[in-house]
Amino acid sequence: MLPGLEAGFTLDARLEADSEQLMWLGLCELRLMNDRRWPWLVLVPQRPGVEEIHEMTPLDQAMLTFETNMVAQALKRVTGCTKINTGALGNIVRQLHVHVVARSEGDPGWPGPVWGHGIREPYERSDIRRFAETIKAAL
């Protein structure tokens, strides 16, 4: 079994298709959304059947908050962005996952949300590797 992977946990197929695995944090798998328009990370708590933060144990809730803040700080440091957007919507993909997106004035869609804006622009493989290494070093 992979580190951090809880028995019975399966990543939602849409998350798997739209993002690339970067690393395991502890509770969460950290993934990169494959859309180069925004530096966009996703934390996926490795808990089967969990759709809402309030469904998690208090310890898991605290760990999710810690890991989300750690990722947000690293992303801000790496990108120098104007604003970090953090959200756990789950309207389409029910599996609990937390988006952490670096936003800057003048980026596509600023100041509106990233969801549903334009057409996704996938990264080149080499750019994914480079960004992954930069994030890992910042964490």
Side-chain angles (χ1 to χ4, degrees):
M1 187 178 329
L2 293 172
L5 188 59
E6 184 170 293
F9 179 83
T10 304
L11 182 65
D12 183 279
R14 291 162 293 196
L15 285 174
E16 189 165 7
D18 291 345
S19 63
E20 299 286 330
Q21 181 186 29
L22 295 186
M23 63 189 300
W24 296 96
L25 298 173
L27 172 68
C28 296
E29 177 184 7
L30 181 62
R31 301 183 67 85
L32 170 66
M33 285 298 286
N34 193 4
D35 189 342
R36 64 185 177 88
R37 295 175 298 165
W38 300 281
W40 184 347
L41 301 173
V42 178
L43 294 94
V44 184
Q46 303 297 288
R47 296 296 183 257
V50 174
E51 295 182 0
E52 307 288 351
I53 294 170
H54 66 262
E55 295 172 351
M56 298 171 69
T57 66
L59 181 58
D60 281 353
Q61 290 175 28
M63 192 65 170
L64 178 60
T65 299
F66 174 78
E67 291 179 2
T68 300
N69 289 341
M70 182 175 67
V71 166
Q73 288 171 349
L75 190 58
K76 179 117 182 171
R77 218 174 18 256
V78 163
T79 64
C81 64
T82 305
K83 181 77 176 86
I84 292 287
N85 290 175
T86 305
L89 304 175
N91 296 343
I92 296 173
V93 175
R94 291 289 220 231
Q95 182 174 64
L96 180 60
H97 60 289
V98 178
H99 298 268
V100 180
V101 187
R103 301 297 305 278
S104 294
E105 293 182 36
D107 74 24
W110 179 268
V114 296
W115 293 276
H117 179 82
I119 298 170
R120 182 168 62 123
E121 297 176 18
Y123 283 96
E124 297 291 329
R125 295 302 311 168
S126 60
D127 292 335
I128 289 175
R129 282 191 301 276
R130 193 173 309 113
F131 187 70
E133 292 307 314
T134 304
I135 289 297
K136 288 176 186 179
L139 290 169

